[in-house]
Amino acid sequence: MRINGQPGHALPAADRGLHYGDGLFETLAVTRGEPLLWEAHMARLARGCQHLGIRAPDPELLLHECRSEIDAEQRCVIKLILTRGSGGRGYRPPARPSSTLIVTRYVPPDHPAGWWRDGVRVVRCHTRLAIQPRLAGVKHLNRLEQVLARSEWSDPQIAEGLMCDAEGRPVEGTLSNLFLVRDGRLFTPPLERCGVAGVMRAQVMVLAAERGEPVQEQDITWGHLGEADALFLTNALIGLWPVRSLAGRDYATTGIPRWLRQAVMPLALGPLESIATQA
Amino acid sequence: MRINGQPGHALPAADRGLHYGDGLFETLAVTRGEPLLWEAHMARLARGCQHLGIRAPDPELLLHECRSEIDAEQRCVIKLILTRGSGGRGYRPPARPSSTLIVTRYVPPDHPAGWWRDGVRVVRCHTRLAIQPRLAGVKHLNRLEQVLARSEWSDPQIAEGLMCDAEGRPVEGTLSNLFLVRDGRLFTPPLERCGVAGVMRAQVMVLAAERGEPVQEQDITWGHLGEADALFLTNALIGLWPVRSLAGRDYATTGIPRWLRQAVMPLALGPLESIATQA
C-alpha cells in the first residue's frame, strides 16, 4: 500500500475521505504487470474530480504510483482512492485542499470459472439507489447503499444483487453494470439519476458502436427484464458475466454476442483458467 | 485524538469508514468538562448502529473515551466516529467486524454572538437531499450532499444553507434542523425520507411536548416558509439560531418562544458571551 507516494498503511484520521466520504475511487484490473483500460479509468477519475471540485492528479504520477505497487508480470487488482485530504471547516472544503492518494494492491477475487462460461445467479436487492443527479455516474466514496445491498445475501452461489432506483427501475448490480439483449440489440439503463458509470460499461458501448450495433441507453423496467433474451453484467475486474438466473427467472446465455464476450476478455481479469480454452 | 482507546492520529487505510463511508458519527458539545445531551447522543448512535448492522459500543466505554480527551472544566467539541472497521470482501461486511472508534476534540466554532441574539442569514442550496428512506435520519458517514451544499457559498456572513429534498420540500440546513413558528405553533419537517435526526431537534420536541405545545412534524413547502411568523435552526453545538433572513426574505425573531430559547441555552455551547447577559 502507498499513501501520498510513500509506502504506508495509515491515513490521518482527520481525512475528509473518512469524515464525509469526500473522495473518489477506481478499481483496476492488472495483468502481466499492466493496468488495463488505464485511459478510461483516468478519464472517469478526472470527471469525478470535476464533479466534486477535487484537483485531478497527474495521470503520469498515478501510473508511477500504481507501478510501484505492481510486480512485473503480476495479475492483481489495484484500488486507487483519491480524497480531498484533511482540512476545511466542517463540511466546507478547504480553500487550498491537499488531496490524499491511496494505492492498494489486492489478490484478484477467485470466482468460479463457470460464472464467466455459464452465467451467474443474481438476486433482486431490497435496498434501492436514491435518485441524486448531482452524484449520478460518479464513483465516489459514499457507498452505504451498496454495503446495505450486499448485506442482503450470504449464499456464495449468488454472484450479484440487482439494485433498482427509488422508483423501482432496475439500474445496476452492487458492483457491476447491467445490459439486456433483445432481438439481437443491446440495451443498458441510463445513469443520469443514480448508479456508477463503469469503465467496462463504457467499453462495451464503444465496442458495440464500432461494430455498428450501438447500445441503446434507455429506462429499463422489470417487464423489459422479463422479455429479454439475455442479460449480462460488466465491470472492470470481471469483464462480462452472463446472467443465468435473476430473481427466480432463468436466462439463456446464448443471446449474448460471442464477439462481445471475446472482445471483453482481454480487457479484464476474467477467470484464472481462460474462458477461451473451455468454450 | 484517540483511536480504539489509544492516543493516535492515524487510521488503517483499509478501514471501511474510508472506503465506503461505512459508519456513523456524533458531534457533542462539552461544557465544564461534561458532554451535553449524552443520553440522546448515545440513543441516536445505537439507532444508527441498528440501521447499519454495526455493533453498538458500550456507552460507558464511550464516555470513558470522551473523558480521556476532555480536560476538566473544558468547553470544547467532541466528535465520535464509529466505523465497521476493516475487512469484508468488497462491499460485503465482514462476518465478525471489529469496529473502529475515533474520538477527536475540537475548539468550538467562534460564531458571532449576534447569530444567537439577532438571528442568522440563510441561503437556499441548489444541492438537494436524495430520498433514501433506508438511511433517513441516520448520522452516517456518507455526507457528500452536505459537502456539495456547503461549497455553494463562501460569504462568512451567511451562517447556513437550507437544503430541499429531491421533490423540492425544504428539509434541513447543511448542519442543522429546521423549525417553523406559525400562530404560536411549532412545526418541523419529518425525516423519514432524508435528513439527519438531530439530537437538539429531538430535545426541542421533548421540551415543547412537556410544555403542552407539541411540535408538529409535517411536510413543509416554500409556501409554508413564506407564511411562517418565524424560523429557527437547531443543532447540538449551537443550540438554537433564529433565522433572520432566508433566500432574501426577512423574518422577525420575536415569534420564537422565549422559554424555548432559554431552555435550549444550557444544552449547547452557545456564544462565548452568554445570550443571557445580553438579552
Side-chain angles (χ1 to χ4, degrees), chain B residues 96-137:
Chain B
R96 289 186 195 75
S98 176
S99 57
T100 300
L101 174 67
I102 300 160
V103 181
T104 312
R105 185 183 64 231
Y106 296 92
V107 173
D110 58 345
H111 305 302
W115 287 11
W116 281 266
R117 192 181 58 228
D118 309 320
V120 293
R121 289 172 56 194
V122 181
V123 291
R124 176 181 182 165
C125 292
H126 300 290
T127 307
R128 292 188 169 191
L129 295 163
I131 292 176
Q132 176 50 282
R134 190 71 181 75
L135 293 169

Side-chain angles (χ1 to χ4, degrees), chain A residues 72-137:
Chain A
E73 299 302 309
Q74 199 172 30
R75 184 178 177 273
C76 65
V77 173
I78 288 285
K79 183 170 179 178
L80 295 177
I81 296 181
L82 181 73
T83 81
R84 208 186 303 266
S86 299
R89 190 157 157 180
Y91 295 125
R92 185 177 179 189
R96 289 186 195 75
S98 175
S99 56
T100 300
L101 174 67
I102 300 160
V103 182
T104 312
R105 186 183 63 231
Y106 296 93
V107 173
D110 58 346
H111 304 303
W115 287 11
W116 281 266
R117 192 182 57 227
D118 309 321
V120 293
R121 290 173 56 195
V122 180
V123 291
R124 177 180 179 165
C125 291
H126 300 291
T127 307
R128 292 187 170 191
L129 296 163
I131 292 175
Q132 176 48 281
R134 190 71 180 76
L135 293 169

Side-chain angles (χ1 to χ4, degrees), chain A residues 152-221:
Chain A
E152 292 185 27
W153 80 95
S154 55
D155 180 351
Q157 308 285 321
I158 307 289
E160 180 57 306
L162 186 63
M163 300 183 73
C164 296
D165 68 19
E167 291 162 0
R169 287 178 290 254
V171 175
E172 62 184 13
T174 63
L175 50 67
S176 61
N177 289 115
L178 171 71
F179 286 84
L180 281 76
V181 189
R182 176 96 201 260
D183 299 332
R185 290 164 65 199
L186 296 170
F187 300 88
T188 194
L191 302 174
E192 277 124 40
R193 288 177 294 240
C194 57
V196 177
V199 296
M200 193 58 78
R201 174 181 181 273
Q203 196 61 32
V204 166
M205 293 176 86
V206 166
L207 289 167
E210 285 173 356
R211 180 100 178 179
E213 303 169 15
V215 177
Q216 275 192 266
E217 273 187 294
Q218 72 168 47
D219 284 341
I220 301 294
T221 65

Side-chain angles (χ1 to χ4, degrees), chain A:
Chain A
M1 186 182 287
R2 291 173 69 83
I3 300 182
N4 288 334
Q6 300 293 327
H9 289 85
L11 178 83
D15 197 277
R16 297 175 61 93
L18 169 70
H19 286 245
Y20 312 125
D22 194 5
L24 303 157
F25 70 111
E26 292 289 330
T27 313
L28 298 100
V30 176
T31 58
R32 300 189 188 89
E34 280 299 316
L36 303 177
L37 297 176
W38 177 257
E39 307 281 333
H41 282 287
M42 288 305 100
R44 180 175 60 182
L45 184 63
R47 280 196 306 275
C49 285
Q50 199 169 12
H51 256 82
L52 299 190
I54 294 176
R55 188 196 301 253
D58 176 8
E60 281 299 308
L61 171 80
L62 282 183
L63 188 56
H64 176 266
E65 283 302 302
C66 289
R67 289 215 169 112
S68 301
E69 270 293 289
I70 304 168
D71 295 335
E73 299 302 309
Q74 199 172 30
R75 184 178 177 273
C76 65
V77 173
I78 288 285
K79 183 170 179 178
L80 295 177
I81 296 181
L82 181 73
T83 81
R84 208 186 303 266
S86 299
R89 190 157 157 180
Y91 295 125
R92 185 177 179 189
R96 289 186 195 75
S98 175
S99 56
T100 300
L101 174 67
I102 300 160
V103 182
T104 312
R105 186 183 63 231
Y106 296 93
V107 173
D110 58 346
H111 304 303
W115 287 11
W116 281 266
R117 192 182 57 227
D118 309 321
V120 293
R121 290 173 56 195
V122 180
V123 291
R124 177 180 179 165
C125 291
H126 300 291
T127 307
R128 292 187 170 191
L129 296 163
I131 292 175
Q132 176 48 281
R134 190 71 180 76
L135 293 169
V138 180
K139 204 168 169 78
H140 55 68
L141 296 174
N142 280 200
R143 290 295 154 209
L144 271 175
E145 289 175 344
Q146 282 73 23
V147 171
L148 292 174
R150 186 56 190 84
S151 304
E152 292 185 27
W153 80 95
S154 55
D155 180 351
Q157 308 285 321
I158 307 289
E160 180 57 306
L162 186 63
M163 300 183 73
C164 296
D165 68 19
E167 291 162 0
R169 287 178 290 254
V171 175
E172 62 184 13
T174 63
L175 50 67
S176 61
N177 289 115
L178 171 71
F179 286 84
L180 281 76
V181 189
R182 176 96 201 260
D183 299 332
R185 290 164 65 199
L186 296 170
F187 300 88
T188 194
L191 302 174
E192 277 124 40
R193 288 177 294 240
C194 57
V196 177
V199 296
M200 193 58 78
R201 174 181 181 273
Q203 196 61 32
V204 166
M205 293 176 86
V206 166
L207 289 167
E210 285 173 356
R211 180 100 178 179
E213 303 169 15
V215 177
Q216 275 192 266
E217 273 187 294
Q218 72 168 47
D219 284 341
I220 301 294
T221 65
W222 281 90
H224 292 135
L225 292 186
E227 294 160 5
D229 300 319
L231 307 178
F232 61 91
L233 303 171
T234 61
N235 82 20
L237 301 188
I238 61 173
L240 184 158
W241 277 341
V243 173
R244 181 183 183 172
S245 76
L246 167 63
R249 188 188 187 289
D250 293 333
Y251 290 88
T253 63
T254 44
I256 303 167
R258 176 173 289 262
W259 67 264
L260 180 62
R261 294 177 73 174
Q262 285 173 343
V264 163
M265 230 186 305
L267 305 176
L269 289 175
L272 259 176
E273 320 97 273
S274 159
I275 193 172
T277 63
Q278 305 188 16

